[in-house]
Amino acid sequence: MKKLVTSILSLAVVAGLGLGTALAQDEHAADGEAHAEGATPHYPINKPREVDWSFAGPFGHYDKGQLQRGLKVYTEVCAACHSMTLVSFRTLQDLGYSEEQVKAFAANYQVTDGPNDDGDMFDRAAVPSDYFPPPFPNAQAAAASNNGAAPPDFSLIAKARGVTRGFPQFVFDIFTQYQEGGPDYIYSLLTGYQEPPEGVEVPEGTYYNPYFIASASLAMAPPISDGQVTYDDGAPETLDQYSKDVSAFLMWAAEPHLEDRKRTGFMVMVFLLIFTGLIYLTKKSVYASKEH
């Protein structure tokens, strides 16, 4: 029996190595063919850089100070083009704001309500139960104002965007609980704008970014730069810090219950370990008096 199990495991390892080699050869061949045609074979050109996030790992948690700075970056920079229609103002209390602060923050926005008694729609100041209003009345208006490309909604962008890490990296991700592909991608994109290398031409009206997931360039110009947003807590006012903060905030927007999920998962694992131990002790007790 041991020999059979050993043989099966050996075959599985050999098959896995063979599959990995074959995939690598196919990718290399595809790269060579694409380069021969003068085109970039796969996007993104550069894989996203991994950032040391406070919410990473099984015991990760959000840094409320960072989330507050990220909200500031979003409202002062990103909100001019990107909506966040699935996030309500009242959830901002999770960032450490009081109820009164949330009310004051929501009152800065105008939302469309109605109809009134005359059947007309009207604008009013937002309240905590409202959601972030979009910057454009519809997708067509958004596209017309942004070179024909409507900016995506940011409510779930940190979970919707991510780069496939491939074999064998995704195997290790199972054990390290890597789930930060979205924030890593957003951070890399925001900090990755650069001049195109020699010999590379990008369409007019687009900007070269080797971290962009769809092509070598995108229609969005570099949205933020050093010193653009003023922080109240003394954090560095740099592109790198802005990018980290807004990426963390967008991760919270996409998964606001991350801390509760991890806490519940930890308690479940502890319960299963205790339950397994009790089952084992029960088995020993039941069969202790049995003759074998």
Side-chain angles (χ1 to χ4, degrees), residues 5 7 53 80-81 90 108-109 120 130 153 156 259 261 282:
V5 173
S7 301
W53 303 106
C81 297
R90 62 187 171 192
N108 294 323
Y109 291 83
D120 298 325
D130 290 316
D153 184 88
L156 302 174
E259 294 177 342
R261 175 175 62 79
T282 301

Side-chain angles (χ1 to χ4, degrees), residues 4-18:
L4 177 60
V5 173
T6 303
S7 301
I8 294 174
L9 290 175
S10 300
L11 290 173
V13 172
V14 171
L17 293 175

Side-chain angles (χ1 to χ4, degrees), residues 231-253:
Y231 283 155
D232 301 324
D233 60 357
E237 297 174 3
T238 62
L239 170 62
D240 183 79
Q241 189 65 50
Y242 294 150
S243 301
K244 288 179 180 178
D245 293 342
V246 74
S247 298
F249 170 72
L250 293 177
M251 180 63 178
W252 168 83

Side-chain angles (χ1 to χ4, degrees), residues 7-249:
S7 301
I8 294 174
L9 290 175
S10 300
L11 290 173
V13 172
V14 171
L17 293 175
L19 177 60
T21 303
L23 291 174
Q25 290 176 347
D26 291 343
E27 183 177 352
H28 180 73
D31 288 351
E33 182 179 354
H35 280 299
E37 298 174 356
T40 303
H42 298 292
Y43 299 107
I45 299 172
N46 294 343
K47 294 292 185 181
R49 289 169 286 180
E50 293 187 29
V51 179
D52 184 19
W53 303 106
S54 65
F55 49 83
F59 304 104
H61 62 279
Y62 287 123
D63 180 346
K64 291 186 178 180
Q66 183 177 49
L67 297 184
Q68 292 181 9
R69 295 194 302 269
L71 171 63
K72 189 175 180 66
V73 174
Y74 169 76
T75 55
E76 294 187 13
V77 180
C78 310
C81 297
H82 295 274
S83 59
M84 203 157 59
T85 56
L86 300 181
V87 179
S88 64
F89 292 111
R90 62 187 171 192
T91 59
L92 297 180
Q93 292 187 53
D94 296 340
L95 275 58
Y97 294 111
S98 66
E99 183 177 352
E100 293 302 320
Q101 288 175 313
V102 172
K103 287 182 179 179
F105 180 86
N108 294 323
Y109 291 83
Q110 292 288 313
V111 296
T112 301
D113 201 351
N116 57 19
D117 294 338
D118 297 326
D120 298 325
M121 304 299 288
F122 60 93
D123 292 337
R124 60 167 175 81
V127 296
S129 59
D130 290 316
Y131 292 78
F132 278 84
F136 302 100
N138 51 61
Q140 290 75 15
S145 300
N146 292 274
N147 296 326
D153 184 88
F154 269 3
S155 303
L156 302 174
I157 197 73
K159 302 295 287 187
R161 294 290 187 271
V163 178
T164 303
R165 287 158 68 85
F167 181 86
Q169 188 62 50
F170 77 88
V171 178
F172 298 112
D173 291 343
I174 297 174
F175 300 98
T176 61
Q177 294 294 295
Y178 176 80
Q179 301 175 28
E180 297 77 52
D184 283 345
Y185 171 72
I186 296 170
Y187 166 80
S188 300
L189 184 71
L190 291 175
T191 59
Y193 284 93
Q194 55 190 264
E195 291 297 323
E198 186 178 355
V200 175
E201 296 183 2
V202 298
E204 185 178 356
T206 64
Y207 303 85
Y208 181 76
N209 194 319
Y211 295 98
F212 186 43
I213 201 170
S215 67
S217 62
L218 68 164
M220 182 177 70
I224 194 168
S225 57
D226 293 347
Q228 189 169 342
V229 177
T230 301
Y231 283 155
D232 301 324
D233 60 357
E237 297 174 3
T238 62
L239 170 62
D240 183 79
Q241 189 65 50
Y242 294 150
S243 301
K244 288 179 180 178
D245 293 342
V246 74
S247 298
F249 170 72

